[in-house]
Amino acid sequence: MIQLPAVSPSGLSDAAVEASRAAHGRNVLTAASRSGLLATLREVATEPMFLLLLAACAVYIALGEIAEALTLGVALLAVAGISVYQQLRSDRALSALRELTQPRARVRRNGAVVTVPVEDLVVGDAVLVEEGSRLPADGTVTEPSDFSVDEAILTGESVPVAKAADEPVFAGTSAVAGRAWLTVTAVGASTKLGLIGQSMQAIATEKTPLQLQVSRFVLRMAWVGVGAFALVWGVNYAHSGNWVTALLFGLTLAMSILPEEIPVAFSSFMALGAARLSRLGVLTKQPQTVESLGSATVICTDKTGTLTQEGMAVCQLYDGAAARLVPVPGPLPASAVTVLAYARWASETEPFDAMEKAIVAAFAAAAPTLAAVPAPMVHEYPLAGTPPMMTHVRRVGDETLVAGKGAVEHILAICRLAPTQADDVRGVTRELSGQGYRVLGVARARPAGPDFPAAQDDFAWEFLGLVALENPPKANAAAVIQAFLTAGMQVKMITGDFPETAQAIARQVGLPGADTLLTGQQVMDLPAAALQQQAPGTAVFARMFPEAKLKVVEALKARGEVVAMTGDGVNDGPALKAAHIGVAMGRRGTEVARQAASLVLVDDDLAGMVTAIAQGRRIYQNFKKAVFYVVSIHIPIVLTVAVPLLAGWKFANLFSPVHIIFLELVMGPTCSIAFENEPAEAGQMQEPPRPLSTTFLGRAELGRSLVQGVGIAAAVLGVYYGFMQQGAPLPEVRTLTFATLVLSNLGLTLVNRSFTQSVWQTLGVPNRILWLMLGLTLCLLLATLLVPAAQRLFGFAPVPVAALGWCAGAALLGAGWIEAYKALRRGTKAKK
């Protein structure tokens, strides 16, 4: 039996919170991971490149070449240091994101209602939960208000359960209606969810298509490296008879083949991209989501608060008694005030919904004396039905009144009006909806006795009238829609509102196909195959409910679309979860929606989604540039090591691990930091979305990178062979060949900044990190050429400036020929 701390109406004190936390622990399902630096070091120490360097160090020690062994040891630390830095930098970015996306709860403490992270809740806390929030801990209901909970996560039953005072509730369940204060009885691993689901934390996150592609590519290259290592070791051993020296050169080739920069670059791009998005007001739950943003082909957007402004206002009333419309604000006849009064009494006592807040404000302005009269709740019926309505029984003065409001169809069905009168009401509803208003029906009833019926529909209802609320489009809504369309995406409005209202707003924001419409009931009536045919051509989905929203998302996915879905309510949860990219609103979004979504728009501005898609495209585009760079530069390294040996050149073994590690030290940061920092290319948001299944190395693109690499290899091997044939000594040939390779790397970095624009255009594109890396690489090269100690370490010799000029010319030719290819492509495209 848990002994709860004594809780006063003011909540726990700071001392009581600390005592409870010491007794019962923190509100987390599992202990916080202690990975940090040690886990990162362990991961780096098991990387293939680290192990190859370690093996090469051991070989140098066995050969008695201590200087080379020390150099590789320092390089080993440098490579590990760069990897650790990048990993910790990514971890810090992800940690900041986790902090931003951490659920929070409202609690009473020290006499005030404050907001704290969910993990800081303790046993005994008084916690407020509202419709759309996920319950943060086990507890007991103390002050319910029309409160019901979805406990499907624990019971499997999807029917909401109404909760009264003193009834238990459980962590992980969701509030689907009303609000309540709870007293926390268990936290963290002691909750019911924690006891039955501690293993959930151990479930591995499924890898994205791009992650799988990167893993497969690196694995294949690793096997190629193993084969090449065995071949070079065998050939060297056959020539020299020294297995240790042969092992050294085999390791050199294996190091040159392994593209270990790619997985590091992938992690950096995703983590840093997610951090960059967070600074732009878009939070990603998983950094891997970043890669799929550029693939979105369909945006399914809510209307209220997403395309329309957040606040609402009552603009007109339909007075059923007088059968006429009355503008608001303005002098209202008594019968119109009655419509507004019952609409207010059918709302929550402390409304949190924008629509109910607008009704309360209009009532207070129109009838301040009546609005000041206490109207305590006697009984309540939660929002229910399809389409829904809600009912409150209140005590106003000496009278017990029953007030109901909700969808006009539901109100008309329970009021049983004469057919002609019902048709008139429907006509007014269509007229108001066609002007973009949101329309609610209002009704009243009188209890027949002290007992109330089990269902709200069973009262004897009297129709009072309609409330028309204005929710105009946001100022930027039309521009946002146009941005999506320009980017090659379809836009669909999915809303619970009337068809006429939805279509009116769709026309105001310039949504193409605003006249095409399906209602929620029509969606449910259509067979799956028929819906898959109709959904792509339908722009407006109205009177939608959770099952219908989910069915539309599934139909679009079945058609091969990559679906992004925006939403903010409990009823959006299933569709947000099912979409490829679920997008929740940060300020007005419910906790259920935020938990189901993969992205959160902090400012509830759909323009943030345009930003997110643009960033997603930029990140994917730059990642491909980095991969092409890695593939292209590895080819000349591999061929420079392998060709002379296999062709029987006089100087067969030119490079050693020291030279390869130099290149790795400059290639790694260039790949994962400099290219990540590249700005977006012009016109990327005018391109169609890329298919989600597209490989990051398509045949044409891979072919281009291979040709680039072969071109650089030809230049490097040309310098190698030319100076060797002229009788230059081995140290001089090594120096000139290495200089050509490093200068080619500089040229490759510059030409790979864009595969459409010329290098002269990209020179003006700002990227300070890239220029820093290029400058650092050039300085390191000059140090190896000019500093005697570095010359000895690398086995270099002084060379004439004219010879270095030949190296620069060869590098320019080997890396720069792609500019002619780009110019040819631009010319061909211009002719089309």
Side-chain angles (χ1 to χ4, degrees), residues 629 633 662 665-667 669-671 673-675 678 741-753 759 762-763 765-782:
Y629 161 81
I633 196 60
F662 176 97
L665 287 173
V666 298
M667 290 189 319
T670 300
C671 172
I673 300 177
F675 276 111
E678 274 289 286
L741 186 53
V742 174
L743 292 173
S744 297
N745 174 68
L746 298 178
L748 179 68
T749 304
L750 291 174
V751 299
N752 269 32
R753 294 184 73 187
V759 71
T762 58
L763 284 176
V765 176
N767 187 341
R768 288 184 297 177
I769 294 179
L770 182 135
W771 289 109
L772 177 64
M773 286 306 309
L774 293 180
L776 181 61
T777 302
L778 188 58
C779 289
L780 289 174
L781 174 62
L782 291 175

Side-chain angles (χ1 to χ4, degrees), residues 490-510:
Q490 300 179 52
V491 183
K492 301 186 183 300
M493 178 191 291
I494 299 184
T495 177
D497 218 333
F498 278 99
E500 294 83 3
T501 305
Q503 289 182 305
I505 297 297
R507 294 187 188 99
Q508 290 176 41
V509 300

Side-chain angles (χ1 to χ4, degrees), residues 49 249 251-259 261 629-644 654-657 659-667 708-710 712-714 716-717 720 737-738 741-742 744-745 748:
M49 182 58 68
F249 290 110
L251 289 172
T252 302
L253 183 61
M255 290 167 59
S256 68
I257 290 176
L258 189 66
E261 303 92 349
Y629 161 81
V630 170
V631 171
S632 296
I633 196 60
H634 270 270
I635 289 172
I637 298 173
V638 172
L639 294 180
T640 305
V641 173
V643 167
L654 204 62
F655 290 161
S656 68
H659 303 96
I660 303 303
I661 198 59
F662 176 97
L663 295 168
E664 291 290 339
L665 287 173
V666 298
M667 290 189 319
Q708 270 191 290
V710 170
I712 294 173
V716 173
L717 289 170
Y720 187 161
T737 304
F738 188 79
L741 186 53
V742 174
S744 297
N745 174 68
L748 179 68

Side-chain angles (χ1 to χ4, degrees), residues 568-654:
D568 58 9
V570 177
N571 61 355
D572 295 317
L576 288 172
K577 193 73 174 177
H580 292 99
I581 308 166
V583 184
M585 301 297 130
R587 287 190 299 184
R588 62 185 174 81
T590 62
E591 185 61 31
V592 169
R594 288 195 292 268
Q595 290 292 324
S598 48
L599 292 180
V600 178
L601 301 181
V602 175
D603 296 326
D604 292 5
D605 188 351
L606 195 60
M609 190 63 186
V610 178
T611 301
I613 289 170
Q615 285 296 315
R617 291 188 177 189
R618 183 194 70 83
I619 290 165
Y620 183 78
Q621 186 181 71
N622 286 346
F623 178 67
K624 290 182 69 173
K625 291 176 186 177
V627 171
F628 297 152
Y629 161 81
V630 170
V631 171
S632 296
I633 196 60
H634 270 270
I635 289 172
I637 298 173
V638 172
L639 294 180
T640 305
V641 173
V643 167
L645 175 66
L646 300 177
W649 288 8
K650 181 171 65 171
F651 302 144
N653 293 314
L654 204 62

